[in-house]
């Protein structure tokens, strides 16, 4: 019997249908009791509490959908504000002020006085103060901390969207035929005017192509078949064209009326290079002499420069008119002083004379935004682009292009340098200035490129080559927004000029 009594006691202990009195409380009971305790402790003495009775039975929120607490470990993005005593005093004053009765009598005068007192004591109007103002900056995250949400919620632009690349087409915008073009490296056979007219010399004739309308006009033709055109140069205004010929003369033409104004003879050999400086026209010939002509005078020849022993094939006035640069078949680059107003004499001495090139120097270009900078390019035996500082006389930089250089021009829209090449590449290359890093290469001509010129709006270049074609390349088109801003500035400056004239 004692054995059966012991077994009954064991079974009664192991039964689970009875409540366990000594077991720990369930999780939801602990949360309910803690929430009730905090609610009772946070009640104000003067205000009744509105506590729901259901909180003692079930949890107030679904456990799976409850808000996650921000981790308090070091390195999180939780910001704990700094509250100084002054802020707490202001907040306490504003809270207690809400319970005070409002005095309707003399409200305007009292508010004015209170505002003045507040401004003098606190530095601001207490009526505009906030009950709780968070000041100070959050601490920086420790080194190595990574926020996983940064990739999802960052509003910063990606590098691909911020980097704007400029597209330069490798194909020409237009191709024009140039039959009977003279394949002579030392001649300068076309020029682009400020009125958007391209002048081209084909054997013994000069043609004008209107880049705006597309019209072609025959301006002149030499009388003798054996004579030919050697050089062309527009005036700054684009109204008159100077033409150098093989019979040692220079003709001046009024393009609008298609009328020859005069013929000037002073050279003893063909005139292969021309350059304008206001009313002074400078010409270089095969004899190595450079002549200055004042086209306003009947006796036009005012001075002769002696510095080259062979043909002068490059001639360029600086944008400010202070210097004249000349390049010759004797591999020299010379810089001459400007012509003084009313002066018919000069000492004839060059300001600079460089002999570093090992080939003929036809390519010359002045920098429009740095008037004291000159770029020069050598022929087949040299193939170097050299950048000179006229003031100091030093060579700033030099680059071997591995090809004959026939022409150079600066493109101000993007501050770049463009070079035209003959043997062996027969191409056009755009270089970033002053680093002289290659930006783009324009290939398409089937023979050597003899010359290039820049459009009046600086957005395009025209190249002429021995393959008897002229190719137009649109390489320097400005962003429309920047273009409009420049036009507005130009209009405003022109309006100021007109007002001063009036």
């Amino acid at each position: 019997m004692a054995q059966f009594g012991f077994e009954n006691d064991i079974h009664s202990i192991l039964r689970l249908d009875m409540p366990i009195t000594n077991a720990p409380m369930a999780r939801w009971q602990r949360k309910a009791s803690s929430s009730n305790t905090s609610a009772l402790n946070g009640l104000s003495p003067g205000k009744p509490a509105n506590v729901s009775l259901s909180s003692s039975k079930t949890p107030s929120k679904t456990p799976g959908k409850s808000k996650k607490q921000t981790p308090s470990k070091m390195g999180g993005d939780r910001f704990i504000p700094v509250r100084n005593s002054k802020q707490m005093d202001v907040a306490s004053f504003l809270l207690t002020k809400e319970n005070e009765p409002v005095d309707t009598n003399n409200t305007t005068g009292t508010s004015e006085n209170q505002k003045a007192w507040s401004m003098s004591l606190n530095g601001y109007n207490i009526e505009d103060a906030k009950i709780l103002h968070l000041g100070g900056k959050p601490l920086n995250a420790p080194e190595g901390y990574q926020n996983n949400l940064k990739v999802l919620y960052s509003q910063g632009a990606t590098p691909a969207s911020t980097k704007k690349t400029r597209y330069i087409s490798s194909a020409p915008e237009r191709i024009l035929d140039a039959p009977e073009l003279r394949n002579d490296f030392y001649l300068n056979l076309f020029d682009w005017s400020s009125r958007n007219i391209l002048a081209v010399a084909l054997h013994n004739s000069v043609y004008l192509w209107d880049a705006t309308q597309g019209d072609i006009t025959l301006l002149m033709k030499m009388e003798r078949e054996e004579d030919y055109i050697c050089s062309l140069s527009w005036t700054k205004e684009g109204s008159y064209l100077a033409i150098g010929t093989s019979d040692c003369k220079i003709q001046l033409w009024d393009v609008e009326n298609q009328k020859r104004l005069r013929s000037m003879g002073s050279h003893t050999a063909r005139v292969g290079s021309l350059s304008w400086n206001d009313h002074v026209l400078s010409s270089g010939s095969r004899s190595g002499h450079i002549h200055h002509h004042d086209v306003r005078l009947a006796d036009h020849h005012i001075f002769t420069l002696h510095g080259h022993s062979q043909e002068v094939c490059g001639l360029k006035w600086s944008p400010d008119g202070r210097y004249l640069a000349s390049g010759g078949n004797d591999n020299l680059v010379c810089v001459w002083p400007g012509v003084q107003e009313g002066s018919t004499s000069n000492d004839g001495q060059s300001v600079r004379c460089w002999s570093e090139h090992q080939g003929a120097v036809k390519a010359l270009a002045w920098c429009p935004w740095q008037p004291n900078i000159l770029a020069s390019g050598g022929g087949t035996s040299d193939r170097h682009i050299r950048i000179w500082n006229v003031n100091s006389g030093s060579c700033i930089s030099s680059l071997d292009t591995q090809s004959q250089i026939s022409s150079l021009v600066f493109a101000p829209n993007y501050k770049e340098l463009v070079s035209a090449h003959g043997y062996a590449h027969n191409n056009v290359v755009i270089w970033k200035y002053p680093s002289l890093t290659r930006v783009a290469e324009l290939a398409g001509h089937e023979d050597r490129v003899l010359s290039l010129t820049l459009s009046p709006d600086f957005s395009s270049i025209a190249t002429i080559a021995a393959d008897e074609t002229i190719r137009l390349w649109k390489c320097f088109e400005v962003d429309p927004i920047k273009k409009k801003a420049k036009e507005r500035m130009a209009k405003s400056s022109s309006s100021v000029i007109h007002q001063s004239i009036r």
Side-chain angles (χ1 to χ4, degrees):
M1 292 296 291
Q3 181 180 358
F4 288 111
F6 176 74
E7 290 180 355
N8 290 333
D9 293 339
I10 293 296
H11 283 300
S12 63
I13 291 172
L14 296 176
R15 287 179 63 184
L16 299 178
D17 55 352
M18 299 288 291
I20 302 174
T21 57
N22 296 329
M25 292 178 64
R27 183 170 178 269
W28 66 271
Q29 289 177 338
R30 292 200 308 272
K31 291 185 68 176
S33 62
S34 63
S35 61
N36 290 336
T37 305
S38 62
L40 291 173
N41 293 335
L43 293 176
S44 301
K47 294 183 181 179
N50 185 16
V51 182
S52 174
L53 297 175
S54 62
S55 62
S56 61
K57 296 179 181 179
T58 57
S60 59
K61 290 185 180 179
T62 307
K65 295 184 179 180
S66 62
K67 265 191 175 181
K68 293 184 179 181
Q69 296 286 337
T70 306
S72 60
K73 65 179 182 179
M74 187 62 178
D77 56 357
R78 184 179 181 190
F79 172 51
I80 300 177
V82 179
R83 304 180 182 93
N84 55 27
S85 58
K86 185 176 181 181
Q87 292 175 350
M88 297 303 294
D89 293 340
V90 172
S92 176
F93 170 75
L94 293 175
L95 288 172
T96 55
K97 184 182 176 183
E98 292 179 356
N99 299 326
E100 295 180 356
V102 179
D103 186 11
T104 56
N105 298 328
N106 198 15
T107 307
T108 307
T110 306
S111 61
E112 291 289 338
N113 294 335
Q114 288 180 350
K115 182 178 179 181
W117 294 337
S118 177
M119 292 295 293
S120 61
L121 293 174
N122 304 315
Y124 57 88
N125 187 8
I126 198 70
E127 296 293 337
D128 300 332
K130 299 177 181 178
I131 293 178
L132 183 61
H133 174 73
L134 305 181
K137 294 183 179 180
L139 296 175
N140 294 327
E143 186 177 357
Y145 173 74
Q146 293 182 351
N147 187 356
N148 296 328
L149 298 180
K150 184 177 181 180
V151 179
L152 296 176
Y153 299 104
S154 175
Q155 295 182 356
T158 58
S161 62
T162 55
K163 185 179 180 181
K164 293 184 179 180
T165 57
R166 168 169 144 239
Y167 173 72
I168 300 176
S169 175
S170 59
E173 185 185 31
R174 182 173 298 201
I175 301 177
L176 305 174
D177 289 330
E180 295 187 271
L181 177 71
R182 196 170 187 86
N183 184 6
D184 193 330
F185 173 81
Y186 300 99
L187 304 183
N188 296 273
L189 299 177
F190 83 140
D191 195 17
W192 207 331
S193 78
S194 58
R195 297 189 177 185
N196 208 18
I197 297 177
L198 191 67
V200 185
L202 303 178
H203 186 46
N204 61 353
S205 304
V206 175
Y207 290 88
L208 305 178
W209 178 68
D210 191 334
T212 306
Q213 304 295 333
D215 300 331
I216 299 175
T217 306
L218 173 62
L219 179 65
M220 60 85 69
K221 184 176 181 179
M222 299 191 70
E223 296 177 359
R224 298 192 302 173
E225 187 65 26
E226 61 268 21
D227 291 334
Y228 55 91
I229 309 298
C230 300
S231 55
L232 298 173
S233 182
W234 288 98
T235 58
K236 185 178 180 181
E237 296 77 14
S239 303
Y240 304 101
L241 179 66
I243 303 173
T245 61
S246 61
D247 60 355
C248 315
K249 290 184 173 60
I250 303 170
Q251 299 182 18
L252 296 183
W253 283 78
D254 181 353
V255 174
E256 188 175 353
N257 299 317
Q258 295 188 19
K259 180 182 178 181
R260 189 178 73 176
L261 300 177
R262 67 187 300 182
S263 178
M264 302 183 297
S266 61
H267 287 287
T268 58
R270 70 177 186 180
V271 183
S273 54
L274 294 168
S275 184
W276 284 93
N277 182 18
D278 198 10
H279 56 272
V280 175
L281 175 64
S282 300
S283 58
S285 78
R286 180 178 269 179
S287 64
H289 296 160
I290 300 171
H291 291 181
H292 290 324
H293 309 269
D294 191 334
V295 297
R296 303 170 301 176
L297 305 177
D299 190 7
H300 54 85
H301 182 202
I302 58 176
F303 198 74
T304 301
L305 301 176
H306 304 274
H308 294 278
S309 59
Q310 297 187 40
E311 182 168 13
V312 179
C313 48
L315 207 59
K316 284 284 166 54
W317 277 101
S318 61
D320 55 6
R322 293 181 58 196
Y323 301 111
L324 173 67
S326 63
N329 195 31
D330 53 3
N331 308 343
L332 295 180
V333 178
C334 298
V335 178
W336 310 88
V339 180
Q340 299 296 326
E341 182 68 28
S343 174
T344 57
S345 63
N346 202 329
D347 56 4
Q349 296 297 319
S350 61
V351 178
R352 303 290 178 190
C353 190
W354 298 294
S355 58
E356 279 79 356
H357 284 289
Q358 303 301 315
V361 182
K362 176 192 175 185
L364 295 171
W366 290 94
C367 182
W369 58 92
Q370 289 180 299
N372 62 318
I373 298 299
L374 174 68
S376 61
T380 308
S381 303
D382 182 72
R383 304 172 299 182
H384 279 74
I385 295 175
R386 300 183 191 274
I387 308 297
W388 309 94
N389 187 325
V390 177
N391 294 343
S392 63
S394 60
C395 181
I396 300 173
S397 58
S398 177
L399 175 70
D400 187 358
T401 63
Q402 301 295 324
S403 185
Q404 178 191 49
I405 304 168
S406 59
S407 191
L408 288 171
V409 69
F410 279 96
N413 284 356
Y414 290 92
K415 294 190 175 180
E416 292 168 337
L417 180 65
V418 190
S419 59
H421 299 274
Y423 178 81
H425 296 156
N426 302 332
N427 62 354
V428 178
V429 181
I430 301 174
W431 311 89
K432 192 65 182 174
Y433 178 81
S435 62
L436 295 183
T437 55
R438 187 186 295 256
V439 177
E441 179 181 345
L442 308 177
H445 284 291
E446 298 175 359
D447 208 332
R448 64 177 180 177
V449 183
L450 296 172
S451 185
L452 69 85
T453 184
L454 191 64
S455 65
D457 63 351
F458 312 126
S459 66
S460 304
I461 55 172
T463 57
I464 190 167
D467 59 2
E468 297 188 345
T469 62
I470 300 172
R471 297 171 188 255
L472 278 71
W473 315 80
K474 203 170 189 67
C475 308
F476 311 103
E477 196 168 11
V478 185
D479 184 21
I481 299 175
K482 294 182 180 179
K483 187 177 180 181
K484 288 181 180 178
K486 284 185 178 179
E487 288 176 353
R488 281 194 225 102
M489 290 185 65
K491 286 181 180 179
S492 62
S493 61
S494 63
S495 63
V496 170
I497 293 171
H498 288 310
Q499 288 173 4
S500 61
I501 291 173
R502 292 195 201 102

